[in-house]
Amino acid sequence: MQEDRREKILLKAIELYMIKGYNDVSITDLQAALDMGRGTLYYYFHDKDELFQEAVSQFLIEPKERAFSRVKDTATIPEMIDTMLYYLNQLQDFYNQVENKNINISNVVTVMYTAYSRFPELRKKARKLYEHELSLWIQAIKNSMHNGDIRGNVPIETTAHMFLHIKDGWDPGRSGAPMNFDIFPEQYNYLYDLIKK
């Protein structure tokens, strides 16, 4: 029961932050949206900063951490594609839960910018995840090359960056665009087909 209520608070908070921005969401706004007393909110979260950081972590950072924890050293490109689709499916699940379906890429970018500029710990986590993802793609490309699945003359780091940025269709980069998760499998597989033997 308590965990359900905490989840409900986090979900509504991230939704409001995405629609109105961090600075324009007050504890009073959250109370009204949740039909919940101030004391109840403060029971679960010390203050607005803690609530914001927890919401960003849970919905925008932890899905990627969970996905990357599944990757083995021997992972190939198809396995990395599966990992990224697993990550994106988690984001789609989150998006399906929010009430306001007008959330778009601009909203996500604004929340991420606020999180990373205002809270150094979140910025460090995000940077570490970016570097980790790049290294996973590099290793997957090397593994696929070693297995003879892709051409031996593929530029490894450039190709890794190309795979890494496919999800910019959801991540920052397409300001104002609606969130469309259907495009990713085709894009990942198209790039993989281009470098296959």
Side-chain angles (χ1 to χ4, degrees):
M1 174 69 174
Q2 283 189 353
E3 199 57 38
D4 288 346
R5 184 174 282 182
R6 191 172 189 282
E7 291 297 309
K8 183 180 175 186
I9 294 169
L10 286 168
L11 184 62
K12 183 51 71 176
I14 196 74
E15 180 179 350
L16 289 178
Y17 293 139
M18 285 187 178
I19 295 301
K20 296 176 73 174
Y22 173 78
N23 291 326
D24 292 328
V25 176
S26 66
I27 291 295
T28 304
D29 293 328
L30 284 163
Q31 281 180 257
L34 290 159
D35 191 24
M36 191 176 282
R38 185 173 290 261
T40 304
L41 279 171
Y42 284 127
Y43 174 80
Y44 291 99
F45 301 98
H46 184 261
D47 56 24
K48 181 179 159 179
D49 282 357
E50 181 186 3
L51 175 54
F52 179 77
Q53 290 179 81
E54 290 250 359
V56 169
S57 290
Q58 178 160 327
F59 296 110
L60 300 177
I61 293 177
E62 289 172 18
K64 196 178 275 191
E65 290 175 334
R66 281 193 297 273
F68 292 170
S69 71
R70 301 159 38 115
V71 181
K72 297 182 175 135
D73 292 341
T74 57
T76 58
I77 292 172
E79 290 165 311
M80 264 308 286
I81 290 172
D82 287 345
T83 296
M84 297 315 299
L85 294 178
Y86 169 75
Y87 159 62
L88 290 161
N89 283 336
Q90 290 181 84
L91 295 182
Q92 185 169 24
D93 288 345
F94 148 68
Y95 179 66
N96 290 340
Q97 290 177 60
V98 297
E99 290 178 43
N100 191 323
K101 298 304 181 193
N102 293 320
I103 292 173
N104 59 41
I105 304 304
S106 299
N107 303 126
V108 178
V109 171
T110 301
V111 166
M112 292 170 80
Y113 175 79
T114 302
Y116 303 154
S117 61
R118 189 176 178 104
F119 300 102
E121 283 306 309
L122 291 178
R123 183 174 62 246
K124 276 190 229 168
K125 267 188 179 182
R127 184 67 201 174
K128 188 175 173 186
L129 276 171
Y130 175 87
E131 290 167 358
H132 186 43
E133 181 180 352
L134 181 59
S135 70
L136 290 174
W137 277 116
I138 287 171
Q139 189 57 52
I141 292 165
K142 287 179 179 177
N143 291 340
S144 291
M145 197 176 283
H146 178 77
N147 293 349
D149 300 327
I150 62 173
R151 298 191 314 273
N153 63 348
V154 169
I156 294 170
E157 204 157 320
T158 299
T159 306
H161 277 96
M162 290 169 72
F163 274 113
L164 188 144
H165 289 292
I166 282 175
K167 69 185 182 319
D168 287 350
W170 195 91
D171 282 348
R174 292 181 58 223
S175 188
M179 295 203 277
N180 176 10
F181 295 88
D182 298 333
I183 61 175
F184 297 114
E186 182 180 348
Q187 290 184 344
Y188 279 116
N189 288 311
Y190 179 75
L191 180 53
Y192 180 46
D193 286 343
L194 288 177
I195 59 174
K196 273 185 188 175
K197 272 191 171 174

